[in-house]
Structure formats: structure tokens, C-alpha cells
Amino acid sequence: MTIDDFDINAEALRQLPLFRQLDAQTVTTIADAGRALNVARTARILNRGDNLDGFYVVFAGSLKMYILSCDGAERILRILRTGDSFGEAMMFNGFDSPVFVDALTDSQVAYIPHRLVADVLAQNPVFIESMFRGMSRLLLDFVRDIESCCLMNAKQRTVAYLLRLAEHRGPHDQQVTLPASKWVVASMLNLAPETFSRELHRLQADGLIEIVRRTIHVRDMTGLMEIVDGAAAVSVAT
Amino acid sequence: MTIDDFDINAEALRQLPLFRQLDAQTVTTIADAGRALNVARTARILNRGDNLDGFYVVFAGSLKMYILSCDGAERILRILRTGDSFGEAMMFNGFDSPVFVDALTDSQVAYIPHRLVADVLAQNPVFIESMFRGMSRLLLDFVRDIESCCLMNAKQRTVAYLLRLAEHRGPHDQQVTLPASKWVVASMLNLAPETFSRELHRLQADGLIEIVRRTIHVRDMTGLMEIVDGAAAVSVAT
DNA sequence: GGATTCACTTGATTGTGGTCAAGCGGGAAA
DNA sequence: TTTCCCGCTTGACCACAATCAAGTGAATCC
């Protein structure tokens, strides 16, 4: 659980989507002013209630962003991977973090202070747009999350999740792999692990999928789509 | 349900928080390029699936932002009032709207196109920060929303909502007024109207509150706080 | 190779909150 | 005043998913 910090590698930083459009000079300035951190598996990077005056970018590894109930129940909001960032909202608005962030695997993150961001923003319209796009994406994900946990039942949430994983792959790639343990995935779907397991096996019994450890083979794509089809209305007569 | 559109009043625009820091010249430019709309009660302003190339600002009235399940169940995400804006995320990221927006009362909104925003952003760092603050706030609200509907039960959600209303008022103002019908509030809390009614009356039976139509008199503030206290953990030992 | 552990599965039971249905009461209009 | 209507309340019942608990199976470690 030791955490050591060191200089940011400007070249590595420039590989990340958020910084790709910036010129080398600007990226070097950022790299010099920020700090990179090695975080060990299970270490906490951000606490609920923390106040950030900057934001984090993930260089390597995977992290979980989550909230906790008083009795320790954990609800994972998102899994963060290389190139993802977090903390922008708190940085811009000054409020305390509503979420926790822990490392799921040994990871590397960079911390970039607010003043630096403000300077770069003022001079790089393209960076402004990148930043807005990132936050917009997050907003969309949260709305979908609310949609899924308020409007769908356990079966629909499970299927919707499988389809979302599948859409990142080609339309004919008939297998998807869960990005984390079933326990973690269940938490993202706001399901008890037992319920998630049950739903998957029910889908298997119906011949829609085949489960091989963390890999799910899709046997009947249209069958799956019918289950979530129209779970959220696109438009209605008024 | 007639919708007519007319020029934006630059002075009125400048009264809104988002535009307050801009110089008169810039605001006039925006007002000239954008369009204002009168929308009648129950009229829809934004459909799920719509693609926006700009965003809306509310001048007057109140609107509901919501999602719908296939069987018509409605989940209200937020109530929008004068000064609030919506559609920024879709504008920046280009994706289709995940939400509906309808007028709850006769209202006026202004539509401001993307290209204009991009120009103003590039030249006004202070506007960038305003815009980021607005989206950050929205993000925080959605996280709280997820927290409330995933980590809290019906009673806790009800109490948390009452306390949130109460915190806008002075600490000794012992009464709050629901901002909309109980049906609408229940939808925001992700509760069936019947459940919301039951929870309120249970709190009244316990002597914590007193219900007079849409006004709730708080009789035991600390009692209420105990109910939600620690519903979401702030920090835990690792 | 056997023990241990962890991730997952499966079964039985329960409880919260949703649904259906009927009743109530205040405000508005005739 | 009487009537209607709408927003809300209250009751009875039910279903979905959580919980508790036991069991399985595959990796890992000695």
C-alpha cells in the first residue's frame, strides 16, 4: 500500500486522448507541474468528502469509482481505465467529492492542479472542447445509469449490460468478456451478486447465452434485444 | 400548445447567472443569434432521441426533465426554473438526448446555437468556468440521485428530500413547501405516489412533521436527521 | 497430492415497496 | 348549496429481488 510519487512522463501523457491535440510544449508544461503516483491494489485514491484542487488522469491499471451506504454496501458507479480521468467536476465547482475511488489493480495516476488547467484552457480552445466532451460523456453515462436502475428490472439490466459490452465489439463477434469479477459487475448493475448469477443462468437456460467463467457467448442476439427493446421509451404521443 | 419564437431580450439574458459576467457587447451578440420560444404548459421542448446543435436557457416558468419506461412510467430527473439550462452535454458531445423536457407551466426558453457558444468560450475564460460549474453541479446532482435511489430506502429518501428543501431556508424556518404536486415529487424520489404519501403520514404519526397540504411543518429536526444520518458513508477504515 | 480459499451457484425464505382498488375531501363551477 | 373532479389517502395483496445459508468447483499454496 505504499504510494510513491514521481515526475510525469510527458510522452506518456501525450498518448492519452485528453492531451493528444495539445502541442508538445504545453504538454511538457503540464507534465512538469503535475505529479504522478503509483498506487497499490486496494489503495484508496479519493475519499468521499475530500476536496480537490485539481483532477486525476489514469495512466495504467484500473480503478473503481463508488459510493457506500452506512452498512458498508458498495455501489460501483464506473470502472476507470487508462486515459480516463476523474475529479474535474469537484475541481471546477469546489464541492467535496461525493464518491470514493480505489485501485482495483496496481495502477498509476497523474494529478494535475487546477491553476494549470485554467491556463491551458484559456489558451487552447481545442482542450476546452475535449474537457467538455469528457464531462458530457460522464453525464450521459449517469443518466443511463439512473435509467437502468429506475426503469428496468433485474433481467433487463443484465441483458442491457451484456449488449452494451457487445456493442464495443464487431456486430458478429458473438462473445463478450466481463471486465471484472461478477461481484463488481453486479454492483455496477445495482444487483445482489446472487441475483446477477441467477439472471445469467436463467438466460443460459433459455438458450440465449452460454457462460464460460467470465466469458459470455451470445447465442441469440435478437432474443436478447427483444428483452430490453422498449424498456425505455424513445417517444410517445402527447 | 402554440409555440411562437421571437428575438431574445439581451437585458433579460444578462440577468441570468450564466451570462452575468459577460460584457454587454457579447451578450447582445448572443441575443441576436439565438431564438426565444414561448412554450405552453404540457408542451414538449425536447424529445428523447433528438439531436441538438445548441442548448436551452430557461427565462421564465418551470419545466421537467424526465425519462420514460416503455409502459409510460415517468421518472423526473429535475425541475428546471429560471436561469437553469439544459442540452449542453448533447451539444458538446453530439449524442442524442437521453431525456425528455416538458413545460410544467407556461414558460419561455432561449435556444443558443453551438457555434456561438464556441466563439464566446474561446474569448471569455470566465464563461468557460461558468459553463463548467454548471455541468459540474449537474454531475453532482446525478451522483446524489443515484446515491439516494440505490443506497436509501423509501423513508430515508423522503426525509433526505425534506431536509434538502429545508437547507435552502434558514436553520430556524421550521416549514418547507413542496415545489410541485406530490405526484411529481414522488417521481423525483423514485417512489410510487402511494408510498410517498404513506411515508409522509408515518413521519407525521411519529410526531416528526405535520402535513398541511403542500406545506410540511418540521416538528423534530434532529429526529429527521437521525433517520438519514449515515445513510451514505463518508469514510470507512480500510 | 491434499488442504485451503475464493468466486460463484443454488435453494429457501422474507420484506419492502409496487399495484390495484376504493374512499375521502377540498376547491371550483353551476 | 350541490355537484363534480382531481389530488391525495388508505387498505389489501402480491411480486421482485435481497438475505441467509449451504454447497460446488476451480485455482493456489504448501
Side-chain angles (χ1 to χ4, degrees), chain A residues 4-9 31 34-38 59 108-111:
Chain A
D4 57 314
D5 89 324
F6 50 90
D7 289 338
I8 297 175
N9 180 333
R35 300 300 298 166
L37 305 168
N38 267 326
F59 267 114
Q108 281 177 27
V109 300
Y111 180 74

Side-chain angles (χ1 to χ4, degrees), chain A residues 48 68 70 93 133 147 230 233, chain B residues 48 68 70 133 147 230 233:
Chain A
R48 187 178 204 268
L68 274 182
C70 53
N93 217 328
R133 254 199 302 280
E147 190 169 284
Chain B
R48 187 180 204 267
L68 275 181
C70 52
R133 255 198 301 280
E147 191 169 282

Side-chain angles (χ1 to χ4, degrees), chain A residues 34-168:
Chain A
R35 300 300 298 166
L37 305 168
N38 267 326
V39 286
R41 199 174 85 83
T42 75
R44 181 162 301 165
I45 297 152
L46 183 65
N47 249 300
R48 187 178 204 268
D50 280 356
N51 201 294
L52 283 185
D53 191 41
F55 77 108
Y56 287 96
V57 178
V58 181
F59 267 114
S62 64
L63 319 172
K64 60 175 177 182
M65 174 185 288
Y66 64 102
I67 50 181
L68 274 182
S69 72
C70 53
D71 49 10
E74 186 175 304
R75 171 72 163 81
I76 296 174
L77 297 175
R78 46 193 308 241
I79 302 292
L80 301 155
R81 302 184 176 285
T82 305
D84 290 331
S85 55
F86 60 97
E88 303 94 324
M90 298 151 245
M91 171 179 80
F92 282 118
N93 217 328
F95 49 66
D96 295 342
S97 174
V99 300
F100 297 89
V101 175
D102 288 7
L104 282 175
T105 63
D106 293 345
S107 308
Q108 281 177 27
V109 300
Y111 180 74
I112 297 168
H114 186 190
R115 56 175 169 74
L116 203 58
V117 177
D119 292 347
V120 176
L121 278 177
Q123 287 157 29
N124 298 73
V126 69
F127 188 63
I128 300 176
E129 292 268 331
S130 295
M131 206 83 184
F132 273 119
R133 254 199 302 280
M135 289 184 66
S136 301
R137 175 74 216 188
L138 193 51
L139 227 27
L140 176 69
D141 284 344
F142 281 140
V143 171
R144 283 194 182 162
D145 207 4
I146 295 174
E147 190 169 284
S148 126
C149 78
C150 296
L151 262 36
M152 294 180 174
N153 62 24
K155 186 178 190 177
Q156 291 172 321
R157 288 211 291 278
T158 304
V159 172
Y161 183 76
L162 292 180
L163 291 177
R164 193 137 38 114
L165 285 182
E167 95 187 2
H168 292 307

Side-chain angles (χ1 to χ4, degrees), chain A residues 10-11 14 19-31:
Chain A
E11 268 318 300
R14 214 181 170 194
F19 302 96
R20 196 162 291 158
Q21 299 102 326
L22 295 178
D23 60 281
Q25 177 60 46
T26 308
V27 175
T28 305
T29 309
I30 296 174

Side-chain angles (χ1 to χ4, degrees), chain B residues 18 28 40 59 78 82 96 103 124 168 178 186 196 209-210 232 238:
Chain B
L18 189 58
T28 305
F59 266 114
R78 44 194 310 242
T82 305
D96 295 342
N124 298 73
H168 293 307
L178 300 180
F196 181 53
I209 63 172
E210 197 172 322
T238 28

Side-chain angles (χ1 to χ4, degrees), chain B residues 63-112:
Chain B
L63 319 171
K64 61 176 175 180
M65 175 186 288
Y66 63 103
I67 50 181
L68 275 181
S69 73
C70 52
D71 50 10
E74 186 175 305
R75 171 69 164 83
I76 297 175
L77 297 175
R78 44 194 310 242
I79 303 292
L80 300 155
R81 301 182 178 285
T82 305
D84 289 332
S85 55
F86 60 97
E88 303 94 322
M90 297 151 245
M91 170 179 80
F92 283 117
N93 216 328
F95 48 66
D96 295 342
S97 173
V99 300
F100 298 88
V101 175
D102 288 6
L104 281 176
T105 64
D106 293 346
S107 308
Q108 282 177 26
V109 300
Y111 180 75
I112 297 168

